[in-house]
Amino acid sequence: MKTNKKTTSNCNPFDFLTEEIIFTILDYLNDDPFSKKSFSLTCKALYSIESHHRKTLKPLRAELLSRTLHRYPHIEHLDLTLCPRIEDSMLNVVSLACKDALCSINLSRSRFFTNIGLSSLVSSCFNLVEIDLSNGVELNDLAAAAIAEAKNLEKLWLSRCKLITDMGIGCVAVGCRKLRLICLKWCLKVSDLGLQLLALKCKEIRSLDLSYLQITEKCLPSILQLQHLEDLVLEGCLGIDDDALSTLQQSCKSLKTLNMSHCHNHSHVGLSSLINGAENLRELTLAYGPAITEDLAKCLHTFSGLRSVKFDGCLVKCSGVRAIARWPHSLKELSFSKCSGVEDDSLSFLVQAHKELTKLDITCCRKITYDSVDSITSSCRSLTSVRMESCSLVPKEAFVLFGQRCELIEELDVTDTKIDDEGLKSISRCSKLSSLKLGICLNIADDGLKHIGSSCSKLKELDLYRFCLNFQCLHSSSTMFKP
Amino acid sequence: MEPNDRLSLDAWANPSSSCNGLPRKMSLENPSFTNFNLQQQEQKWDDTSILNYGIRIEPPFLEFNQASESEYLLSSTCNNQPKVLDQEDGLNNEALQTSKSLDWDPRTMLNNLSFLEQKIHHLQDLVHLIVGRKGQALGGHDQLVTQQQQLITADLTSIIVQLISTAGSLLPSVKHKLSTGPPNGQLGELLFPPLAGMNCVPQPQHGSGSVAVQPQCVTGSKVSDQCNQMDVTGSFGTEQNLSIEEHEMKEEEDADEGENLPPGSYDILQLEKEEILAPHTHFCTICGKGFKRDANLRMHMRGHGDEYKTPAALAKPNKESSSEPVIIKRYSCPFAGCKRNKDHKKFQPLKTILCVKNHYKRTHCDKSYICSRCNTKKFSVMADLKTHEKHCGKDKWLCSCGTTFSRKDKLFGHIALFQGHTPAIPLEETKGPSVSCDKMDGNEASNKSGNINFSFGSNAGSGAQNIIEVKEDGDDPASYFSPLSFDTCNFGGFHEFPRPTFDDSESSFSFLEAP
């Protein structure tokens, strides 16, 4: 393999570079697609090396897929979300081209393939580990049966595959014994029976998403008996209520993440019986759920591992917030987004108790004033993400505090607030800032942006919705922005 | 013989006026049946004459009631005449012993008995006539011969009827005593209903006779309740049948039929194979046409004369309830070696004649009826087939091992138990939300080619491969539901599905067929 011509030495220095070394070099170029492109265009040898190196592919056009796969024979991750129309014939092409190299394929944006394409895909690519079939609204049980042939499958997404029923899930459960993640969000025809079978046969499940399924508590015992279950999402499972949950006797010790959003039918009683025994619980999401009362907070008192709590859209009581403040364990993430009832006193009390907060979301907490921001910024110095959209009562002076005290902020959302240039100037001191949302901020002007632009070198996202752009300021700050 | 005669004489200490010196005759003339017969030949047309009762006195007759003669019984005596002599001893002794302990009116009993004796002799003569006729069958005018034969057979019939009725009238009193006594016959088997129930067409031929005789056995059960009090020994029914036909039948069913099995005191009857399998069990006495049901026969008889159109003739012969407890009758299967055969070590009797029929057909006959839906199940009894068809195809939840279930949770329970079983999803489906392809019944409605995805691989339910294989396979031998013959499950939706609703399937089909 030689390219450069200089024949001063008989041996070509490139001869010493084995393929593995060049692969390692190419790995460093993973973030820079243009570099890789130029690399491959250098010479035939490097072209072939690069073509053997590439492992992921995200094509734009499915028609060119066969040629692309011919060029890149070792594709392991194929992301077809940008191709609007994938048909069975293309899946056949993929299966023949990639064969056993393919590990992961994402078909979540196309509706036009059927079980036939899937079965051809699965029969050739027996190393397939991940399949994303979300939004496959026309996939039926035969497709599920085809998927069941993928014996090594570990991750399966079937969100919105509304035609898949218990029969299909039964096939998958029996066929894919190594399944670790399965997402059945909105698969409305799946019921308790299918889930029981799934929990019985696929013992390796780590992550289970059962959002918006019409399930009842009958499937929960078998699900909770999964030894390795870490992530359980029961969002919108309205069939589960307090009475049902109180009959639960099983506990899942391995549970780390629980999401019971949009469940109106249960209260802290049900919740406590569900998470009973889950000592490793780390994240709890109860968005749009029961009221955050003192009882609820008390039943979470014992979970020493709890680090992240999201109470979006719930009715928050002061007593509840104070009870949260009394938790022995220190929260890292807290969300009261769109909660009514969050007030200065209780919030201040809370943040003073949880000084290690890194993420705080108080979107639409309209009662928050300067005091809260003051407490937040003084107590939680290690905040990295703050979302304060529509906190209308917070005066502009408060935003200065962010820059003064919380210099680790990476994400700041102050949409629809009274932030002004002074605040922006102060915030520009946060050198790690990467995302800044300033929509509907009527008080900001070019000066502030100039500061931001000049100081925040890591800024990647800037939302200036409704901002009156002044081209002058853009010009001056654009040089500091990365493309 | 003589001691027996004397015993019988003793029993009949007071001859009734109607008895024409019977006892004396009996005592005087020992075995000479034939003498009597000859003497009676002139009287053979005289039905009312009292027969000179032969030597033989059978115990059941001793127990006969003085009830009316309208009750019919196929008298054991009439057929057992040749064998009577053999069995007399035991029977007489036992009968006498039991009779002594009973309360009965000797006079009426004697009357009936003497009447019976007369009739028996009469019958004997007739039978001998037939024998004689047969011998002369070569010569003579055919028409005459046949006419005479007809007359004879008609006469025989009437005599037998009377015998039975009389004998039956003598029955009711003593049965319970004798149930523990000597072996009880199954006379009840051979009861034929009075009047129009004359199914027996006594004919001199062996085969037809057996056929004629069989119905008596079968239909006798109807009237058997009347005469359940009979303690006749052995399967007199069958024996009688045999002897009615001129003793030409070879079946040896007399040997041990008189036993009572130790476990209980129940009678055991064994019908012959031809009897069991006979399609018709009721026969018209006039034209010989066969019917399955007695009611049908009665309808048919209306065409033979006005006397059969009377309400009495048309009425169902009801069984009179008896005040005495009935003898339990159990049946044995004639098939050698069958567990239901009385000779088997672990004999398990059958309860009714219908049970015998069904058992024999199910166990010892080949299965000729096939279910039209599943084309798999075969039956030998029509009723079994109908029962099966009621429920055939109701199971819609299908497992890969081929087991069908009527409910989804049963299917899932089954799959949960075993490794490698998956739910089997029918192959043919249509795209589009209009047909929900999840439910099996919907799939059947749209199931055009009748192929079903059976993944028979035990460990790796190779559904995908089977899909491809089954498609290419023209006829799936395991195709459980073929919509073409699946009338009830087509829901009408079958007709509404002209073809797959999208083009992609066709292209993908072609894609599959040309791998």
Side-chain angles (χ1 to χ4, degrees), chain A residues 216-218 220 239-249 270 273:
Chain A
T216 71
E217 72 283 3
K218 288 191 205 124
L220 286 179
I240 301 178
D241 60 357
D242 266 352
D243 300 329
L245 286 172
S246 57
T247 62
L248 278 182
Q249 288 164 3
S273 69

PDB file of all heavy atoms in Angstrom, chain A residues 216-218 220 239-249 270 273:
ATOM      1  N   THR A 216     -53.099  -3.530  33.347  1.00  0.00           N
ATOM      2  CA  THR A 216     -53.554  -3.426  34.723  1.00  0.00           C
ATOM      3  C   THR A 216     -52.462  -3.958  35.630  1.00  0.00           C
ATOM      4  O   THR A 216     -51.356  -4.251  35.194  1.00  0.00           O
ATOM      5  CB  THR A 216     -54.840  -4.246  34.933  1.00  0.00           C
ATOM      6  OG1 THR A 216     -54.504  -5.616  34.875  1.00  0.00           O
ATOM      7  CG2 THR A 216     -55.854  -3.908  33.874  1.00  0.00           C
ATOM      8  N   GLU A 217     -52.825  -4.108  36.852  1.00  0.00           N
ATOM      9  CA  GLU A 217     -51.801  -4.538  37.796  1.00  0.00           C
ATOM     10  C   GLU A 217     -51.458  -6.011  37.642  1.00  0.00           C
ATOM     11  O   GLU A 217     -50.543  -6.503  38.293  1.00  0.00           O
ATOM     12  CB  GLU A 217     -52.301  -4.276  39.219  1.00  0.00           C
ATOM     13  CG  GLU A 217     -53.406  -5.207  39.665  1.00  0.00           C
ATOM     14  CD  GLU A 217     -54.743  -4.842  39.077  1.00  0.00           C
ATOM     15  OE1 GLU A 217     -54.790  -3.888  38.279  1.00  0.00           O
ATOM     16  OE2 GLU A 217     -55.727  -5.506  39.410  1.00  0.00           O
ATOM     17  N   LYS A 218     -52.158  -6.714  36.773  1.00  0.00           N
ATOM     18  CA  LYS A 218     -51.910  -8.159  36.682  1.00  0.00           C
ATOM     19  C   LYS A 218     -50.527  -8.462  36.146  1.00  0.00           C
ATOM     20  O   LYS A 218     -49.949  -9.502  36.437  1.00  0.00           O
ATOM     21  CB  LYS A 218     -52.945  -8.796  35.760  1.00  0.00           C
ATOM     22  CG  LYS A 218     -54.301  -8.857  36.366  1.00  0.00           C
ATOM     23  CD  LYS A 218     -55.206  -9.731  35.527  1.00  0.00           C
ATOM     24  CE  LYS A 218     -56.643  -9.311  35.771  1.00  0.00           C
ATOM     25  NZ  LYS A 218     -57.358  -8.957  34.578  1.00  0.00           N
ATOM     26  N   LEU A 220     -47.936  -6.586  36.665  1.00  0.00           N
ATOM     27  CA  LEU A 220     -46.864  -6.026  37.482  1.00  0.00           C
ATOM     28  C   LEU A 220     -46.121  -7.055  38.325  1.00  0.00           C
ATOM     29  O   LEU A 220     -44.902  -6.953  38.465  1.00  0.00           O
ATOM     30  CB  LEU A 220     -47.422  -4.918  38.377  1.00  0.00           C
ATOM     31  CG  LEU A 220     -47.742  -3.627  37.628  1.00  0.00           C
ATOM     32  CD1 LEU A 220     -48.313  -2.595  38.565  1.00  0.00           C
ATOM     33  CD2 LEU A 220     -46.496  -3.073  36.966  1.00  0.00           C
ATOM     34  N   GLY A 239     -54.662   2.166  33.730  1.00  0.00           N
ATOM     35  CA  GLY A 239     -55.318   1.006  34.306  1.00  0.00           C
ATOM     36  C   GLY A 239     -54.775   0.631  35.673  1.00  0.00           C
ATOM     37  O   GLY A 239     -55.299  -0.257  36.336  1.00  0.00           O
ATOM     38  N   ILE A 240     -53.739   1.315  36.052  1.00  0.00           N
ATOM     39  CA  ILE A 240     -53.109   0.969  37.332  1.00  0.00           C
ATOM     40  C   ILE A 240     -53.496   2.032  38.334  1.00  0.00           C
ATOM     41  O   ILE A 240     -53.240   3.208  38.126  1.00  0.00           O
ATOM     42  CB  ILE A 240     -51.588   0.916  37.167  1.00  0.00           C
ATOM     43  CG1 ILE A 240     -51.231  -0.127  36.108  1.00  0.00           C
ATOM     44  CG2 ILE A 240     -50.918   0.597  38.462  1.00  0.00           C
ATOM     45  CD1 ILE A 240     -49.770  -0.218  35.844  1.00  0.00           C
ATOM     46  N   ASP A 241     -54.080   1.613  39.365  1.00  0.00           N
ATOM     47  CA  ASP A 241     -54.475   2.602  40.364  1.00  0.00           C
ATOM     48  C   ASP A 241     -54.076   2.130  41.760  1.00  0.00           C
ATOM     49  O   ASP A 241     -53.467   1.088  41.923  1.00  0.00           O
ATOM     50  CB  ASP A 241     -55.972   2.880  40.284  1.00  0.00           C
ATOM     51  CG  ASP A 241     -56.775   1.626  40.527  1.00  0.00           C
ATOM     52  OD1 ASP A 241     -56.163   0.551  40.696  1.00  0.00           O
ATOM     53  OD2 ASP A 241     -58.008   1.700  40.544  1.00  0.00           O
ATOM     54  N   ASP A 242     -54.454   2.908  42.692  1.00  0.00           N
ATOM     55  CA  ASP A 242     -54.004   2.663  44.054  1.00  0.00           C
ATOM     56  C   ASP A 242     -54.394   1.291  44.575  1.00  0.00           C
ATOM     57  O   ASP A 242     -53.586   0.568  45.145  1.00  0.00           O
ATOM     58  CB  ASP A 242     -54.609   3.720  44.982  1.00  0.00           C
ATOM     59  CG  ASP A 242     -53.683   4.887  45.176  1.00  0.00           C
ATOM     60  OD1 ASP A 242     -52.536   4.792  44.706  1.00  0.00           O
ATOM     61  OD2 ASP A 242     -54.091   5.873  45.786  1.00  0.00           O
ATOM     62  N   ASP A 243     -55.656   0.957  44.368  1.00  0.00           N
ATOM     63  CA  ASP A 243     -56.106  -0.329  44.887  1.00  0.00           C
ATOM     64  C   ASP A 243     -55.311  -1.460  44.275  1.00  0.00           C
ATOM     65  O   ASP A 243     -54.910  -2.400  44.938  1.00  0.00           O
ATOM     66  CB  ASP A 243     -57.593  -0.528  44.568  1.00  0.00           C
ATOM     67  CG  ASP A 243     -58.429   0.553  45.203  1.00  0.00           C
ATOM     68  OD1 ASP A 243     -58.023   1.034  46.282  1.00  0.00           O
ATOM     69  OD2 ASP A 243     -59.469   0.907  44.637  1.00  0.00           O
ATOM     70  N   ALA A 244     -55.111  -1.348  42.990  1.00  0.00           N
ATOM     71  CA  ALA A 244     -54.361  -2.393  42.319  1.00  0.00           C
ATOM     72  C   ALA A 244     -52.941  -2.449  42.840  1.00  0.00           C
ATOM     73  O   ALA A 244     -52.399  -3.512  43.095  1.00  0.00           O
ATOM     74  CB  ALA A 244     -54.354  -2.110  40.821  1.00  0.00           C
ATOM     75  N   LEU A 245     -52.367  -1.292  42.993  1.00  0.00           N
ATOM     76  CA  LEU A 245     -50.989  -1.271  43.422  1.00  0.00           C
ATOM     77  C   LEU A 245     -50.838  -1.758  44.852  1.00  0.00           C
ATOM     78  O   LEU A 245     -49.820  -2.335  45.218  1.00  0.00           O
ATOM     79  CB  LEU A 245     -50.421   0.139  43.290  1.00  0.00           C
ATOM     80  CG  LEU A 245     -50.146   0.566  41.858  1.00  0.00           C
ATOM     81  CD1 LEU A 245     -49.773   2.031  41.811  1.00  0.00           C
ATOM     82  CD2 LEU A 245     -49.019  -0.255  41.277  1.00  0.00           C
ATOM     83  N   SER A 246     -51.848  -1.531  45.627  1.00  0.00           N
ATOM     84  CA  SER A 246     -51.700  -1.953  47.017  1.00  0.00           C
ATOM     85  C   SER A 246     -51.703  -3.460  47.156  1.00  0.00           C
ATOM     86  O   SER A 246     -51.270  -3.987  48.168  1.00  0.00           O
ATOM     87  CB  SER A 246     -52.824  -1.355  47.861  1.00  0.00           C
ATOM     88  OG  SER A 246     -54.072  -1.733  47.334  1.00  0.00           O
ATOM     89  N   THR A 247     -52.160  -4.151  46.116  1.00  0.00           N
ATOM     90  CA  THR A 247     -52.131  -5.615  46.200  1.00  0.00           C
ATOM     91  C   THR A 247     -50.771  -6.180  45.831  1.00  0.00           C
ATOM     92  O   THR A 247     -50.545  -7.371  45.932  1.00  0.00           O
ATOM     93  CB  THR A 247     -53.177  -6.222  45.258  1.00  0.00           C
ATOM     94  OG1 THR A 247     -52.852  -5.846  43.916  1.00  0.00           O
ATOM     95  CG2 THR A 247     -54.557  -5.735  45.592  1.00  0.00           C
ATOM     96  N   LEU A 248     -49.901  -5.336  45.382  1.00  0.00           N
ATOM     97  CA  LEU A 248     -48.605  -5.830  44.959  1.00  0.00           C
ATOM     98  C   LEU A 248     -47.807  -6.305  46.149  1.00  0.00           C
ATOM     99  O   LEU A 248     -47.733  -5.633  47.167  1.00  0.00           O
ATOM    100  CB  LEU A 248     -47.815  -4.723  44.265  1.00  0.00           C
ATOM    101  CG  LEU A 248     -48.115  -4.472  42.807  1.00  0.00           C
ATOM    102  CD1 LEU A 248     -47.202  -3.387  42.297  1.00  0.00           C
ATOM    103  CD2 LEU A 248     -47.906  -5.723  41.998  1.00  0.00           C
ATOM    104  N   GLN A 249     -47.209  -7.451  45.961  1.00  0.00           N
ATOM    105  CA  GLN A 249     -46.353  -7.921  47.025  1.00  0.00           C
ATOM    106  C   GLN A 249     -44.900  -8.023  46.597  1.00  0.00           C
ATOM    107  O   GLN A 249     -44.017  -8.139  47.410  1.00  0.00           O
ATOM    108  CB  GLN A 249     -46.824  -9.295  47.494  1.00  0.00           C
ATOM    109  CG  GLN A 249     -48.106  -9.205  48.267  1.00  0.00           C
ATOM    110  CD  GLN A 249     -48.769 -10.544  48.384  1.00  0.00           C
ATOM    111  OE1 GLN A 249     -48.232 -11.538  47.920  1.00  0.00           O
ATOM    112  NE2 GLN A 249     -49.925 -10.568  48.992  1.00  0.00           N
ATOM    113  N   GLY A 270     -50.176   4.147  46.284  1.00  0.00           N
ATOM    114  CA  GLY A 270     -49.808   3.238  45.222  1.00  0.00           C
ATOM    115  C   GLY A 270     -48.335   3.305  44.912  1.00  0.00           C
ATOM    116  O   GLY A 270     -47.667   2.301  44.690  1.00  0.00           O
ATOM    117  N   SER A 273     -46.233   1.445  47.387  1.00  0.00           N
ATOM    118  CA  SER A 273     -46.258  -0.016  47.277  1.00  0.00           C
ATOM    119  C   SER A 273     -45.520  -0.474  46.034  1.00  0.00           C
ATOM    120  O   SER A 273     -44.959  -1.570  46.005  1.00  0.00           O
ATOM    121  CB  SER A 273     -47.693  -0.530  47.282  1.00  0.00           C
ATOM    122  OG  SER A 273     -48.353  -0.159  46.109  1.00  0.00           O
TER     123      SER A 273
END
